Amino acid sequence: MAEVLGTYFLIFAGCAAVVVNVNNEKVVSLPGISMVWGLAVMVLVYSLGHISGAHFNPAVTIAFATCKRFPLKQVPAYVFAQVIGSTLAAGTLRLLFSGPHDVFAGTSPQGSDLQAFGIEFIITFYLMFIISGVATDNRAIGELAGLAIGATVLINVMFAGPITGASMNPARSLGPAIVSNHYKGIWIYLMSPTLGAVSGAWVYNMVRYTDKPLREITKSASFLKSSRNSG
């Protein structure tokens, strides 16, 4: 329920900003759309993170599962809930904004497929790297997780939005595609964010190295010992 509702509200708010911007002479603007996506993620992480983990994104769920930070058997249910939430949100927007100004609220590449694949991979890698740091590492300031994740989404949408729609989320692209029957480049938005998220999570786990507090690491660091001995 939390994943369905969370994904619904995220996609509804973010895609509504896109649709209203097109229908009303670009009144929302790119910075405005970026802020809506970022703030929506932030408030939903704070309100639902303690219930479902606030994934709202199949790529995040799969990435956590590959790192054994999420039960593999729950992945299908989470992904299904996220796609349902996204599709319902896109359907609601289609009903509210139908008519001559019917706007596709989904994502499609503005340049080449290779460019779109590369950008989606990098921005989802970046997002998952930040999520892994603030949400799974007990040495991070957990209370700021929502702020850090929301800010990362805002940054990514700001520069990648005009090129790929800055999906970072297979459900975000699939829901509007199903509702509008518009599947151009959908394979990019299913594969690239998933690969990017899995890579981001694994790279953070390599960087993490240990769960020991920083004080213990620096105390036992070999370079400090050698400098002390030489002194």
Side-chain angles (χ1 to χ4, degrees), residues 12 91-98:
F12 181 82
T92 306
L93 286 170
R94 189 76 188 267
L95 289 172
L96 293 172
F97 295 97
S98 59

Side-chain angles (χ1 to χ4, degrees), residues 64-215:
F64 275 144
T66 63
C67 296
K68 297 184 178 169
R69 294 193 169 271
F70 187 77
L72 199 60
K73 64 182 181 190
Q74 288 186 28
V75 170
Y78 262 59
V79 171
F80 181 71
Q82 291 151 0
V83 172
I84 290 293
S86 174
T87 308
L88 289 173
T92 306
L93 286 170
R94 189 76 188 267
L95 289 172
L96 293 172
F97 295 97
S98 59
H101 299 294
D102 186 21
V103 179
F104 176 54
T107 52
S108 53
Q110 298 306 304
S112 69
D113 284 359
L114 185 62
Q115 181 196 44
F117 193 95
I119 286 175
E120 283 295 324
F121 180 90
I122 292 165
I123 61 177
T124 315
F125 179 103
Y126 179 29
L127 175 64
M128 193 65 209
F129 189 84
I130 301 298
I131 291 171
S132 297
V134 296
T136 70
D137 199 326
N138 54 21
R139 295 168 296 174
I141 304 168
E143 293 78 17
L144 297 180
L147 193 60
I149 296 164
T152 308
V153 171
L154 190 157
I155 293 165
N156 285 343
V157 176
M158 190 79 86
F159 71 83
I163 305 163
T164 66
S167 175
M168 300 171 272
N169 184 340
R172 181 260 179 272
S173 295
L174 190 57
I178 291 168
V179 169
S180 299
N181 198 26
H182 186 290
Y183 295 101
K184 185 193 172 196
I186 192 68
W187 68 272
I188 296 168
Y189 298 103
L190 297 180
M191 283 182 61
S192 184
T194 305
L195 293 172
V198 170
S199 304
W202 277 86
V203 169
Y204 184 83
N205 277 349
M206 287 163 61
V207 172
R208 178 203 308 263
Y209 181 61
T210 178
D211 285 328
K212 286 182 183 175
L214 187 61
R215 289 189 307 280

Side-chain angles (χ1 to χ4, degrees), residues 217-230:
I217 298 169
T218 50
K219 218 179 279 177
S220 61
S222 55
F223 72 90
L224 285 174
K225 278 182 180 172
S226 60
S227 64
R228 222 177 274 135
N229 293 339
S230 62

